[in-house]
Amino acid sequence: MRRWLVVMAALIGVCWSLPAQAQERPRNVILFIADGCGPASFTLARDYLRATAGQEQLALDAHLVGSVQTYATNSLVTDSAAGATAFACGVKSYNGAIAVDADGQPVATLLEGAEARGMATGLVATSRITHATPAAFSAHVTSRSLENEIALQQIGQGIDVLFGGGKQQFLPTDQGGRRDDGRDLLAEAAASGYHVVTDRAGFEALTATPAIGLFSDSHMAYEVDRDAAAEPSLAEMTRKAIDLLDDDPDGFFLMVEGSRIDHAAHGNDPAGHLHDILAYDAAVAVALAYAADTPGTLVLATSDHETGGLTLGRDGQYAWRPEVLARLTHSLEPMVAALREDGRPIAEVMRDMAGIEDLTYQEGARIEVALDDPGRLAAALSDVISRRALIGWTTGGHTAVDVNLYAFGPGSEAFSGHLDNTDIGRMLARLLEIDLDALSAALQARAVGDAR
Ligand SMILES: [Mg+2]
Ligand SMILES: [Zn+2]
């Protein structure tokens, strides 16, 4: 009788725990990071779509589940390195840290954990692939500036798909790269079995992993300036990465970053910022459609921090004007080049590239006095455009504002409410049954061994 009770209790225990586990464990995880994109930036993009395309919502909007606090160990305002280390490793660290803890010790990443579980892995970014966000998933260095070392670690990790910019960190100086060790990492990767492509045609032809696609020397173009014949969009890279990764029976882990949303916000660049957010949302839509068709796929989307201190409405006015942004056909960078390098007249550039037909004398004068310095000129152009659009910026850097969290698919119920950025990494590890602490202990033991 007593034995039966024990058996019954065990069975109840099994039944109790089974549904929760069966429900939670996703087969595939696609983690989206909108670098430098706070809540106001998503409102900007949504209001813009509503005003110009009659679209009521972003693809992301239906999946908002919470907010994320972003501070680093050494500052309430994080950088992308500490932010990505929190997501990738579940560990708080200092600004500049790439998958190392506050003491500079290497800490294991979700990508390493996924590889250890036999999952396929991929990283997609529009910045240099060695830039802080993708770096923190794929390398361990004490400073984000060590991009040549990051490239070296990236090609030795067994990552199945790497798409983005940043050829320069993989090529020696005599081939136009920035490596002073003389190594051609793309040739080395190809020799070790990677399919290496550097242009649109090569990208289209990719059908197998492992694959590296690097489509620019440094960062890829802002979406608003992108030459579609030369560079794939973030949505295209996302679709291709999923196609390449999804035949692994153990599932896949893919990180996709809208990297340059942040860069445009640093430059207070309205069109650069807006169109990179829209491109990011389009990439999320690709993943959501895949996840809707592919049971077992968790799509998570968040941001590492806000950048620019963007406000919609300014100077006491209860309005902002998306139609001003709709007339912009370029980011600030080519406008600066047209004025300074091509010497084109201010009124002509403002008409042809910003859609401003009625530039005032005062606006023209503000631009003219800044012509001799590219930074001041970009700031003057931003100011003229932003005042017309009634949007404001408080900084050329990051802010401490909480960021949005979106989730869809199995395991998404674990993500709700207000979370810390390290919770994202910790909870993903738990869902994927990855023991980050054990992997970190092994990494640190190896680092000590290497040092001896
Ligand atoms: Mg980034
Ligand atoms: Zn930034």
Side-chain angles (χ1 to χ4, degrees):
M1 181 65 181
R2 190 170 295 165
R3 185 176 298 170
W4 272 110
L5 275 175
V6 171
V7 170
M8 289 275 287
L11 271 175
I12 288 166
V14 166
C15 294
W16 195 258
S17 61
L18 255 185
Q21 281 182 357
Q23 188 187 12
E24 273 196 351
R25 167 83 168 89
R27 197 176 98 89
N28 308 313
V29 170
I30 309 175
L31 172 61
F32 280 88
I33 300 174
D35 196 314
C37 196
S41 297
F42 287 112
T43 309
L44 173 94
R46 183 189 314 109
D47 283 353
Y48 177 86
L49 283 182
R50 201 172 281 158
T52 62
Q55 188 180 321
E56 283 301 304
Q57 290 211 314
L58 300 169
L60 279 162
D61 281 334
H63 309 293
L64 183 73
V65 293
S67 58
V68 179
Q69 62 192 28
T70 66
Y71 68 89
T73 55
N74 64 334
S75 172
L76 287 174
V77 178
T78 190
D79 81 334
S80 294
T85 297
F87 296 148
C89 311
V91 169
K92 276 281 186 213
S93 198
Y94 58 91
N95 287 346
I98 299 293
V100 296
D101 65 16
D103 300 321
Q105 295 301 307
V107 281
T109 69
L110 288 171
L111 195 130
E112 287 165 329
E115 278 163 6
R117 287 191 52 97
M119 298 171 76
T121 55
L123 297 175
V124 174
T126 48
S127 63
R128 296 189 295 270
I129 198 70
T130 52
H131 209 245
T133 311
F137 285 83
S138 54
H140 304 278
V141 290
T142 52
S143 168
R144 59 183 291 170
S145 64
L146 301 170
E147 290 189 49
N148 285 351
E149 168 61 22
I150 290 165
L152 195 57
Q153 293 190 28
Q154 284 176 326
I155 65 152
Q157 277 252 9
I159 303 168
D160 299 283
V161 171
L162 285 167
F163 289 157
K167 260 185 306 188
Q168 67 189 25
Q169 257 67 43
F170 293 79
L171 295 174
T173 48
D174 61 5
Q175 288 182 51
R178 295 205 162 199
R179 298 198 69 82
D180 43 23
D181 59 5
R183 291 175 71 169
D184 177 347
L185 298 186
L186 294 184
E188 291 180 29
S192 73
Y194 271 98
H195 305 276
V196 177
V197 301
T198 56
D199 58 19
R200 160 71 81 171
F203 174 76
E204 298 295 342
L206 273 177
T207 56
T209 59
I212 296 179
L214 299 180
F215 305 103
S216 55
D217 288 332
S218 180
H219 304 305
M220 294 176 73
Y222 284 131
E223 177 62 23
V224 69
D225 303 326
R226 183 173 63 88
D227 174 2
E231 294 183 11
S233 68
L234 188 62
E236 290 171 319
M237 292 195 288
T238 302
R239 180 172 290 124
K240 177 71 89 174
I242 291 171
D243 283 350
L244 292 174
L245 294 172
D246 96 324
D247 55 8
D248 192 302
D250 299 308
F252 65 83
F253 175 83
L254 172 64
M255 191 286 293
V256 179
E257 186 197 20
S259 316
R260 304 205 68 207
I261 296 168
D262 173 69
H263 298 173
H266 277 283
N268 296 353
D269 182 334
H273 191 58
L274 167 67
H275 289 280
D276 268 41
I277 298 165
L278 295 174
Y280 173 82
D281 192 56
V284 173
V286 166
L288 288 172
Y290 171 82
D293 284 350
T294 314
T297 303
L298 170 64
V299 178
L300 205 63
T302 189
S303 303
D304 50 359
H305 52 76
E306 198 274 349
T307 304
L310 178 66
T311 63
L312 310 174
R314 61 181 289 164
D315 308 329
Q317 297 208 52
Y318 285 35
W320 85 271
R321 300 195 176 117
E323 66 273 18
V324 172
L325 304 193
R327 292 192 282 265
L328 295 163
T329 52
H330 296 78
S331 75
L332 297 179
E333 284 174 9
M335 294 178 68
V336 167
L339 289 165
R340 280 175 51 86
E341 286 153 39
D342 307 338
R344 290 178 61 192
I346 292 169
E348 185 186 302
V349 167
M350 296 309 280
R351 184 193 65 211
D352 293 352
M353 302 176 84
I356 294 176
E357 306 269 359
D358 57 344
L359 194 75
T360 66
Y361 174 81
Q362 288 84 352
E363 287 171 327
R366 286 220 300 283
I367 295 167
E368 178 139 34
V369 297
L371 275 174
D372 55 0
D373 180 89
R376 277 179 53 227
L377 179 55
L381 293 168
S382 168
D383 189 59
V384 165
I385 293 163
S386 297
R387 283 177 188 277
R388 280 179 174 245
L390 296 177
I391 65 174
W393 308 87
T394 62
T395 177
H398 300 174
T399 74
V401 167
D402 292 339
V403 293
N404 292 348
L405 176 64
Y406 307 86
F408 173 79
S412 59
E413 54 284 347
F415 299 88
S416 77
H418 179 69
L419 301 177
D420 187 71
N421 56 2
T422 57
D423 293 334
I424 305 297
R426 289 269 145 203
M427 288 159 72
L428 281 175
R430 187 165 53 75
L431 283 173
L432 290 173
E433 293 158 12
I434 291 168
D435 187 344
L436 286 174
D437 292 332
L439 290 168
S440 293
L443 264 179
Q444 290 171 19
R446 206 187 315 154
V448 170
D450 289 348
R452 281 207 183 108

